[in-house]
Amino acid sequence: ASQRAASRDVPHMETGQMQDGDEGEPEDEIISLPLLPIRDNVVFPHMVTSLIVGRERSLRAVDEAMQGDHTLVVVAQREPEKEDVEPDDLYGIGTEVIIGKTLRLPDGSTSILVRGQRRLRLLDIPQLDPYILALAEPAEQTIEKDLAVEALMRHILGLFEQYVKKHPSAEDEALVTAMNIEDPAALADFVASSIVTSIARRQRLLEILDPLERLKTVNVLLARELELLEIQAKIEQEVRAQIEKDQHEFFLREQMK
């Protein structure tokens, strides 16, 4: 297939962009990687997840990565329903991942197991065909684990424990994993990836490059999700009580006939 150039800069790069002098970002490290656009997920660093790849350019990107060091950049689409992705359709921050396993499926798609490595900021999309190629730079920051950060981490773990107990789809293993994470940035990413929330909100968390701000945001989001779960449980309890009351009244009316 002939290459289709897309040498213009990727738009919307101001979102989540770091300023000169930010800590934790190697200077002048620009890397070239195959790019995998995804519709319904956001992959965080330290996160292991399975992705289904079906579009031709995406399959080519996976093949290209597997012929090299198994590395590509995963980026969420702004409009999940769009099939033929252009640079304008991609968020500005994605995640470098390592492909672990691949499995060809009967329908022609491929399931890949990936592990997130680090945040990348897209700089340019020089190629769209036969697969999307991205130029990117690392966009990670580090944080010192002082007493204030440790206290915030403990508070988040407490909220996350309640979340795991109350959310029907949350798994106990997630809490065990979270409790054994020592790095503040990694804890923020793991909890963020474990919360059932919208793609847009997950992307906003990915774009928060400062680990302390990310911890604070995850803390607020967890508190919000817990409040929603409590309200939902209260509504369900009231509905059950009303149903039981209606059934009881119906039974009494039937007995009086």
Side-chain angles (χ1 to χ4, degrees), residues 45-95:
H46 321 291
M47 173 182 173
V48 177
T49 189
S50 177
L51 302 172
I52 302 297
V53 182
R55 289 175 285 188
E56 182 61 29
R57 285 191 297 180
S58 296
L59 290 169
R60 293 284 188 91
V62 170
D63 289 341
E64 180 69 17
M66 295 302 292
Q67 291 176 19
D69 60 1
H70 294 201
T71 304
L72 47 72
V73 56
V74 173
V75 184
Q77 294 181 206
R78 295 178 181 274
E79 299 180 16
E81 67 278 1
K82 188 157 187 180
E83 188 72 19
D84 192 13
V85 176
E86 299 287 338
D88 289 358
D89 303 315
L90 299 170
Y91 284 104
I93 299 291
T95 302

Side-chain angles (χ1 to χ4, degrees), residues 96-132:
E96 180 184 48
V97 302
I98 300 291
I99 302 174
K101 296 180 180 179
T102 65
L103 178 65
R104 292 284 183 179
L105 302 176
D107 63 359
S109 62
T110 297
S111 173
I112 63 174
L113 188 68
V114 301
R115 180 181 180 86
Q117 300 298 303
R118 56 181 175 172
R119 285 168 171 77
L120 294 180
R121 179 188 296 114
L122 300 188
L123 300 175
D124 192 19
I125 303 292
Q127 171 185 306
L128 289 174
D129 290 316
Y131 60 87
I132 303 176

